Amino acid sequence: AGTGLLLLAAVSAVTVSHFKGKGASQTQESPAPDTEPALTAASVTVNGISLEGLNQDEVYEKIKELFPWSMKAAYGDEQLPVTDLLQPRLKKWAQQLCTSSQSGEITLTAADLVDDQLEKDALAQARTLAGQWEIAPKNSGLDYFDKEKGSFVFSDGCSGIEIDEEQMAQDILSAIRENRLDAVITARSSDAAPALSAAQAKEAYKTIATFTTETTNNQKRNTNVRLAAEALNGTIVQPGDEFSFNSVVGQRTAEKGYQEAAAYNSGSVVQEIGGGVCQISSTLYRVVFNAGMKVTFRRSHTFEPNYVTPGQDAAISWEQPDFRFVNPSDAPIGIRASYADRKATVSIYGIPVLEDGVSWDLYSEKVEELDPPEPEYVEDPTLAPGTEKVVKAATPGSRWDTYKVVSKNGKEIERTLDHSKSYKGHAAVIHRNTSSGETAPSQAGTDAAAPTETSAAHTAEGQTSGATENAGSTSSLENGSQPAGSESTAPSPTVDGMPEGYTPGTGVIAPFQPENQ
């Protein structure tokens, strides 16, 4: 007659059945601290193998030979090894045996080693194996942009392969209980249907945000705005991918048709290829923010923009500064951009990221007027000696606070400071004659022409020779704007200037008008 033996009750609840031996003790003793585990019984035999005098490691090596493991899982023509799930339990069994006072003959089977934890380990192993064979279904979504038709094309979704993990785990456990440690477990699969069909995806997609800004009547600048919009139009951003304006639009060159338009280089108005492209990047920034995208980098201009409210601009130059954002949704998004009739429009087309009824917006307010730079004096001998003439008035700088405004069902529920931005003012240009002698008479009707700023937005690429963009607001984690009170003074290439008719401290802003595509 045999007696049941529970050797691992305190360690792993492993049941050892069929303990044989007349007068065998059932008492378990814990070893003294720092005592080398050793067999205390004069004679212990497991499945006919004597373990007398063996230490814990030697016991493990002996009993491991009783359970040779070569189990595999198969799917189709491929077989993968199943991790030996008995090894850790045999080690615990050997440890418990060596710290007890058992003696006699023990019968141990693989079924005796099955416990709740082994069942969990079998399921984890099944999931690991299934991951090698499963194929996720591909939902229908944006595939590409048909330029001829001017519309996005949706791909047809396809089914995936799903492995029955729970059944595989049960088959592994059954093989262990039956001592079939060399079994080949056949994985069972089923088709995994895509969550969205092409028709469902097309219905779910809509224009989730759109924004329009007005351009100037400068034809060269408007050509640059149009070319940048055409390069941006139809861009698809996959889930989790980061969009880069410079990577998508590319370098603005004369070979691509970009024109020279006014731009700022270190605070001076110059003519640069691509002047005005920042109007597209700034319009994109507004619509990206409204759509709930994650802005990862943006920089403001040195001077106030005129085509968006100050604090809501995104300066672009080649290769830096750039404008970047990440698509945080589970579906691709598409970008539509266009220019017509002195209006630049950018839209985000996709499945809404924000909760139903929730909207994000930006609100900027001027909180301080800053002193203009020191005047620039120009010696003009045509003026009377000792006189001067203001040919260009100074304009003050300004500091703007921009807030993230969250609304639900049209009612504001949250307003937080997103970033602060200080813009430089423009120095007055004063002509003067500091001589004390007589001057040549000035010609009738002629005064030195005042420098004018005749262009709009900052150039897309500009020059990088010593230019400094002293007003960068780099992005915060949430929406890409620099934390309040922080200003970047890192050098940057040329950025574009202001539109014709520019008046510092004012902003031209088109209303946000979501619509379906």
Side-chain angles (χ1 to χ4, degrees):
T3 304
L5 177 66
L6 184 62
L7 286 174
L8 298 180
V11 182
S12 61
V14 175
T15 302
V16 181
S17 61
H18 303 103
F19 176 79
K20 298 180 180 180
K22 186 175 180 180
S25 172
Q26 300 297 312
T27 304
Q28 298 184 9
E29 299 178 356
S30 300
D34 301 325
T35 300
E36 179 74 19
L39 289 174
T40 57
S43 176
V44 174
T45 301
V46 177
N47 294 3
I49 297 178
S50 175
L51 304 179
E52 183 177 359
L54 301 183
N55 63 29
Q56 178 178 319
D57 292 337
E58 292 169 334
V59 169
Y60 166 69
E61 292 298 330
K62 280 288 186 180
I63 62 176
K64 187 175 69 172
E65 296 175 1
L66 300 174
F67 303 96
W69 183 283
S70 60
M71 193 179 300
K72 291 181 175 61
Y75 183 73
D77 297 330
E78 185 178 9
Q79 292 188 354
L80 297 174
V82 177
T83 299
D84 188 345
L85 302 178
L86 295 185
Q87 275 195 20
R89 285 152 185 84
L90 290 173
K91 287 183 179 180
K92 290 181 180 180
W93 193 93
Q95 178 187 32
Q96 187 69 17
L97 178 66
C98 292
T99 55
S100 70
S101 57
Q102 304 297 336
S103 64
E105 181 180 345
I106 299 174
T107 299
L108 180 65
T109 68
D112 296 327
L113 301 172
V114 176
D115 57 11
D116 291 343
Q117 184 58 47
L118 190 142
E119 292 179 0
K120 295 178 182 178
D121 292 346
L123 182 57
Q125 176 66 185
R127 286 173 178 165
T128 299
L129 293 166
Q132 302 295 314
W133 296 314
E134 285 184 329
I135 299 176
K138 183 179 179 181
N139 288 329
S140 297
L142 294 185
D143 191 17
Y144 65 94
F145 182 73
D146 189 330
K147 292 186 177 181
E148 292 184 0
K149 296 181 179 179
S151 61
F152 288 101
V153 177
F154 286 81
S155 64
D156 290 327
C158 60
S159 299
I161 297 175
E162 185 175 7
I163 302 296
D164 191 336
E165 299 170 356
E166 292 187 0
Q167 183 61 55
M168 186 189 297
Q170 290 301 318
D171 291 344
I172 292 173
L173 290 172
S174 295
I176 292 174
R177 290 189 178 99
E178 297 167 9
N179 208 39
R180 294 184 293 108
L181 305 184
D182 60 350
V184 177
I185 307 299
T186 301
R188 305 179 190 181
S189 68
S190 59
D191 290 339
L196 288 178
S197 65
Q200 291 171 325
K202 194 169 184 178
E203 183 177 353
Y205 270 76
K206 64 179 182 178
T207 299
I208 55 179
T210 189
F211 197 76
T212 297
T213 57
E214 295 183 4
T215 68
T216 71
N217 61 4
N218 185 309
Q219 292 184 358
K220 291 184 176 181
R221 183 181 185 280
N222 289 341
T223 294
N224 296 337
V225 172
R226 175 181 59 80
L227 290 174
E230 290 174 354
L232 179 63
N233 189 39
T235 300
I236 294 176
V237 185
Q238 298 296 330
D241 282 0
E242 184 178 52
F243 165 94
S244 162
F245 186 93
N246 279 334
S247 296
V248 170
V249 175
Q251 186 173 3
R252 281 67 74 182
T253 64
E255 289 75 15
K256 294 179 180 179
Y258 287 93
Q259 305 290 307
E260 285 191 349
Y264 278 123
N265 187 340
S266 300
S268 299
V269 179
V270 296
Q271 294 295 312
E272 290 289 350
I273 298 291
V277 169
C278 284
Q279 179 146 1
I280 291 295
S281 59
S282 297
T283 307
L284 176 63
Y285 167 50
R286 278 304 314 265
V287 76
V288 158
F289 187 92
N290 289 138
M293 300 292 107
K294 180 182 179 181
V295 176
T296 51
F297 185 88
R298 65 166 283 273
R299 175 177 289 176
S300 295
H301 296 91
T302 301
F303 302 95
E304 285 187 8
N306 190 40
Y307 43 83
V308 291
T309 301
Q312 302 178 15
D313 52 322
I316 288 295
S317 188
W318 185 265
E319 295 174 333
Q320 289 292 337
D322 196 3
F323 172 64
R324 300 192 295 270
F325 72 89
V326 169
N327 173 13
S329 70
D330 297 327
I333 62 166
I335 301 175
R336 299 297 305 269
S338 63
Y339 166 79
D341 301 326
R342 294 180 55 183
K343 288 182 174 60
T345 300
V346 180
S347 304
I348 299 294
Y349 183 59
I351 298 176
V353 175
L354 305 177
E355 295 178 14
D356 188 33
V358 173
S359 64
W360 289 2
D361 207 350
L362 290 173
Y363 171 77
S364 298
E365 63 179 3
K366 184 165 68 172
V367 294
E368 184 179 2
E369 191 168 274
L370 307 176
D371 292 336
E374 291 297 317
E376 297 177 7
Y377 290 97
V378 178
E379 191 70 20
D380 187 351
T382 66
L383 297 178
T387 65
E388 60 182 32
K389 179 180 181 180
V390 178
V391 297
K392 180 182 177 183
T395 56
S398 59
R399 185 170 68 85
W400 292 72
D401 284 347
T402 298
Y403 294 84
K404 174 185 177 182
V405 180
V406 180
S407 300
K408 187 168 186 178
N409 298 324
K411 182 179 180 180
E412 182 178 325
I413 59 174
E414 181 182 353
R415 178 175 296 219
T416 56
L417 181 65
D418 188 74
H419 61 274
S420 294
K421 166 63 187 169
S422 294
Y423 294 96
K424 288 184 176 180
H426 293 271
V429 178
I430 301 175
H431 285 204
R432 64 184 179 181
N433 186 350
T434 58
S435 67
S436 58
E438 295 183 359
T439 71
S442 54
Q443 298 178 359
T446 62
D447 280 323
T452 58
E453 298 175 30
T454 58
S455 93
H458 296 250
T459 122
E461 69 282 354
Q463 297 178 349
T464 59
S465 57
T468 300
E469 175 64 30
N470 184 25
S473 44
T474 49
S475 54
S476 70
L477 292 179
E478 182 173 9
N479 58 32
S481 297
Q482 187 165 329
S486 177
E487 290 293 336
S488 168
T489 58
S492 75
T494 302
V495 290
D496 60 337
M498 301 299 117
E500 292 181 351
Y502 160 73
T503 302
T506 64
V508 176
I509 179 169
F512 169 56
Q513 300 172 336
E515 61 185 27
N516 292 328
Q517 175 165 310

